[in-house]
Amino acid sequence: MAAVPTLLVLDAEPLPRLGRLTGRVRVLHADGSTLGALLPEADVLLVWDTTSDAVRAAWPGAGPRPRWVHTAGADVERVLSPELAASDTVLTNARGVFEEPVAEYVAALVLAMAKDLPGTWAAQTRGEWRPRESRPVAGTRAVVVGSGPVGRAVTRTLKALGATTALVGRVPRTGIHGPDDLDRLLARADWVIAAAPLTELTRGMFDTRRFGVMQPSARFLNVGRGGLVVEEALVRALRSRWIAGAALDVFGTEPLPPDSPLWQVPGLLVSPHMSGAAVGRHDELGAQFVELFERWAAGRPLRNVVDKARGYVPGR
Amino acid sequence: MAAVPTLLVLDAEPLPRLGRLTGRVRVLHADGSTLGALLPEADVLLVWDTTSDAVRAAWPGAGPRPRWVHTAGADVERVLSPELAASDTVLTNARGVFEEPVAEYVAALVLAMAKDLPGTWAAQTRGEWRPRESRPVAGTRAVVVGSGPVGRAVTRTLKALGATTALVGRVPRTGIHGPDDLDRLLARADWVIAAAPLTELTRGMFDTRRFGVMQPSARFLNVGRGGLVVEEALVRALRSRWIAGAALDVFGTEPLPPDSPLWQVPGLLVSPHMSGAAVGRHDELGAQFVELFERWAAGRPLRNVVDKARGYVPGR
């Protein structure tokens, strides 16, 4: 390691909290066009702009590569090129920052759907007094797919609202169902919440067959990754009333193009990938990186290390 | 008491569960036009249509009056004429049925405002991808005004979402603030939730002065009674950005007239008095009345007895 390591930051906005590293690190900034040229100089790459595909594009080039890459997001597939996966470079992510905001966002959507707030506010624009019955959340059944920290936080929040929850993960263990239980659970669920990482096992898992298993009164939410859902299958399920409604915060293509048919599917609520975007998170993300950097600089083991074969941080 | 007492039902829709009383009661039905003529025959009046003003209009007439009136709602001011208040007739209400639905409705509105779901769905209608930061609910401060069962249920639910709550009642006691604390609490609140009954002490309590005490980031919700709020003062507070937003489920005049300016105030969410209207409540209301009737017929003390001077069921 050089006396003062070089930190290369891929960023689209000013970074909070990095001032604490002043004098202990040489900081370079890159955008998508300069990343490839600067990568060989970097000991550490901080991916602050998590919407960029620049790392996947730049990584396969020539020259040395950073020994550590940290992405200030929960998802790694925009960063994790096959070459990075095969390398010795350690990849960490921002696990711990997004869980509670996402759980609140799911609770907001579930309650809004139960109370039909979209219908109420549409009536408001027409000046129309249209009282009607709403559904309870307490006592309903939720299935949360994805047993990582986000899925577990979602489960805790829905439980706090009185829902009965089932958590489904890759491997069955205490309190967590395995994939073999999924269809049976989907068939009885009032709410199905996708909160899994995108892997070869989860890609496209919500397809025509799975929407067909759900109850006509079921509602489906995706706050995981767009690729978990076969979007055309969901649209068909909504149009055919196989399920009662859906809310998508993530999409196969983001930003969702203005001419996407998804904007206008009856019963489908579209939000712009903002479930984890709580006020104050930039500050938390900055502080989290500084803490990890201090561990790295001291030669202590990093936290939040991504299993590059699986595409997420395994464990607890 | 006649061998078979007469139950007069003021109703607009079929009643569930009353079949259990078959043979033990003579049932008469009335609407607003026939109530006055039938009142003298009734031992018991069941006010099933809680949106009707017929009881207040009919009660002052001549002849005997029912010994017991039950209203299948939480509010009594549409029923409680001065003559009924001064009489020996016992008045009961539907305390116990609406608390949890109202608490969920408040949670739905609070979370929807924190996440700006109205802004997201307005953007959806324009096909506009507009990600932005949302606010957390966990760690925010809520003041709930009204320490009855509804206010307490709201407090429990907001606490379950991680908010810090303060409950304000008519009389300070353990865990409940008195009116003297109100302004101090309002000045620090992120959420102000009105869930009080309408009495001479609470009428118009949310006025220009009180909205002026609140923070510019505060949001105000009313799920109590429309008369708690000086509506013009709220509109002015929103237009002047004294507070950040509001949601009203109840109004001084209901239904809210189509030409009311309240439909179109920026930052004001209007819903048609439906916070307690959960699926299944008719069944619960019917079962609750049957249970009370059985107590009454057996000469046991009734529950949910309204203090007619105060206008609500006092206690715990």
Side-chain angles (χ1 to χ4, degrees):
Chain A
M1 190 188 304
V4 172
T6 296
L7 169 63
L8 177 60
V9 181
L10 176 64
D11 69 336
E13 46 192 310
L15 266 64
R17 299 294 186 105
L18 285 203
R20 280 182 55 190
L21 300 179
T22 303
R24 295 154 62 194
V25 71
R26 180 174 74 119
V27 178
L28 299 178
H29 287 264
D31 61 18
S33 66
T34 58
L35 185 72
L38 292 171
L39 263 186
E41 291 187 47
D43 296 293
V44 179
L45 171 64
L46 168 56
V47 182
W48 191 255
D49 177 4
T50 57
T51 67
S52 165
D53 288 316
V55 179
R56 271 190 96 95
W59 196 274
R65 286 294 173 259
R67 281 166 293 147
W68 170 33
V69 175
H70 177 75
T71 178
D75 316 312
V76 297
E77 79 256 25
R78 280 181 196 275
V79 172
L80 191 53
S81 63
E83 293 80 4
L84 169 52
S87 74
D88 290 336
T89 296
V90 175
L91 175 62
T92 57
N93 76 0
R95 173 168 164 152
V97 174
F98 299 101
E99 289 77 356
E100 295 306 325
V102 173
E104 282 196 357
Y105 205 84
V106 168
L109 289 170
V110 162
L111 281 161
M113 292 166 108
K115 308 306 171 191
D116 189 23
L117 294 183
T120 293
W121 296 334
Q124 180 179 352
T125 64
R126 298 187 301 267
E128 194 186 318
W129 183 267
R130 194 162 60 84
R132 55 217 189 280
E133 297 192 328
S134 68
R135 310 196 74 80
V137 170
T140 59
R141 284 196 193 92
V143 173
V144 179
V145 179
S147 62
V150 171
R152 293 202 306 272
V154 167
T155 302
R156 278 195 302 276
T157 301
L158 294 178
K159 258 187 196 154
L161 291 170
T164 303
T165 59
L167 192 55
V168 182
R170 195 177 56 90
V171 179
R173 51 199 195 276
T174 307
I176 298 180
H177 295 268
D180 289 353
D181 291 344
L182 180 58
D183 286 357
R184 181 179 59 78
L185 292 166
L186 291 182
R188 303 178 64 203
D190 298 298
W191 311 97
V192 177
I193 295 121
L198 187 60
T199 70
E200 286 321 303
L201 289 170
T202 63
R203 187 179 298 276
M205 69 181 290
F206 291 100
D207 57 9
T208 297
R209 194 186 66 74
R210 285 245 160 74
F211 291 119
V213 169
M214 298 179 195
Q215 304 186 98
S217 58
R219 290 179 166 93
F220 174 78
L221 293 82
N222 188 8
V223 291
R225 305 296 294 133
L228 302 176
V229 178
V230 179
E231 289 171 351
E232 312 75 57
L234 174 60
V235 170
R236 216 175 309 126
L238 287 166
R239 293 204 187 275
S240 314
R241 301 185 188 277
W242 288 10
I243 64 174
L248 298 180
D249 189 53
V250 288
F251 301 87
T253 304
E254 293 183 10
L256 192 63
D259 61 351
S260 167
L262 292 176
W263 292 110
Q264 299 188 39
V265 179
L268 177 59
L269 303 172
V270 168
S271 59
H273 199 151
M274 58 183 279
S275 73
V279 167
R281 78 187 186 293
H282 286 153
D283 211 48
E284 274 189 71
L285 290 168
Q288 180 182 55
F289 175 74
V290 168
E291 194 201 322
L292 287 172
F293 184 89
E294 286 176 345
R295 296 177 79 89
W296 180 81
R300 284 185 291 146
L302 284 168
R303 287 188 182 138
N304 287 10
V305 176
V306 173
D307 179 327
K308 292 187 288 183
R310 293 193 196 162
Y312 56 90
V313 181
R316 277 191 319 123
Chain B
M1 191 188 304
V4 172
T6 296
L7 168 64
L8 178 60
V9 181
L10 176 65
D11 70 336
E13 46 193 310
L15 267 64
R17 299 291 187 107
L18 285 203
R20 281 182 55 191
L21 300 179
T22 304
R24 297 152 62 193
V25 70
R26 180 174 74 119
V27 179
L28 300 177
H29 288 263
D31 60 20
S33 66
T34 57
L35 185 72
L38 292 171
L39 264 184
E41 292 188 47
D43 297 292
V44 179
L45 171 64
L46 168 56
V47 182
W48 190 255
D49 176 4
T50 58
T51 67
S52 165
D53 288 316
V55 179
R56 272 191 95 96
W59 197 274
R65 287 293 173 258
R67 283 167 291 149
W68 170 34
V69 175
H70 177 76
T71 177
D75 317 312
V76 298
E77 80 256 23
R78 280 180 195 274
V79 172
L80 191 53
S81 63
E83 294 81 4
L84 169 54
S87 74
D88 291 336
T89 296
V90 175
L91 175 62
T92 57
N93 77 0
R95 173 167 165 153
V97 174
F98 299 101
E99 290 77 356
E100 295 305 326
V102 173
E104 281 196 358
Y105 205 85
V106 168
L109 289 170
V110 163
L111 282 161
M113 294 166 106
K115 308 306 172 191
D116 189 23
L117 295 183
T120 293
W121 297 333
Q124 180 179 352
T125 64
R126 298 187 300 267
E128 194 185 317
W129 183 268
R130 194 163 59 84
R132 54 216 189 281
E133 297 193 329
S134 69
R135 310 196 73 80
V137 170
T140 59
R141 285 197 191 92
V143 173
V144 179
V145 179
S147 61
V150 170
R152 294 203 305 273
V154 167
T155 301
R156 276 194 304 276
T157 300
L158 294 179
K159 257 187 197 155
L161 292 170
T164 304
T165 59
L167 193 55
V168 182
R170 195 177 55 88
V171 179
R173 52 197 194 277
T174 308
I176 299 180
H177 295 269
D180 290 352
D181 291 343
L182 181 58
D183 287 356
R184 180 178 60 78
L185 292 167
L186 291 183
R188 301 178 66 202
D190 299 297
W191 311 97
V192 177
I193 295 121
L198 188 60
T199 70
E200 286 321 303
L201 290 170
T202 63
R203 188 180 296 278
M205 69 180 291
F206 291 100
D207 56 9
T208 297
R209 195 185 67 71
R210 286 243 160 75
F211 290 120
V213 168
M214 297 178 196
Q215 304 186 96
S217 58
R219 291 180 166 91
F220 173 78
L221 293 82
N222 189 8
V223 290
R225 303 295 295 133
L228 302 176
V229 177
V230 180
E231 289 171 352
E232 311 76 57
L234 174 61
V235 171
R236 217 175 309 126
L238 286 166
R239 293 202 187 274
S240 314
R241 300 185 188 277
W242 289 10
I243 63 174
L248 298 180
D249 189 53
V250 290
F251 300 87
T253 303
E254 293 182 11
L256 191 63
D259 61 351
S260 166
L262 292 177
W263 291 109
Q264 298 188 39
V265 180
L268 178 60
L269 302 172
V270 168
S271 59
H273 200 152
M274 57 182 279
S275 73
V279 167
R281 78 188 185 292
H282 287 150
D283 210 49
E284 275 189 69
L285 290 168
Q288 181 183 54
F289 176 74
V290 168
E291 193 201 324
L292 288 172
F293 184 89
E294 286 176 346
R295 296 179 78 91
W296 179 82
R300 285 185 291 146
L302 283 169
R303 287 187 182 139
N304 288 9
V305 176
V306 173
D307 179 328
K308 292 188 288 182
R310 294 192 196 162
Y312 57 90
V313 180
R316 277 189 318 123

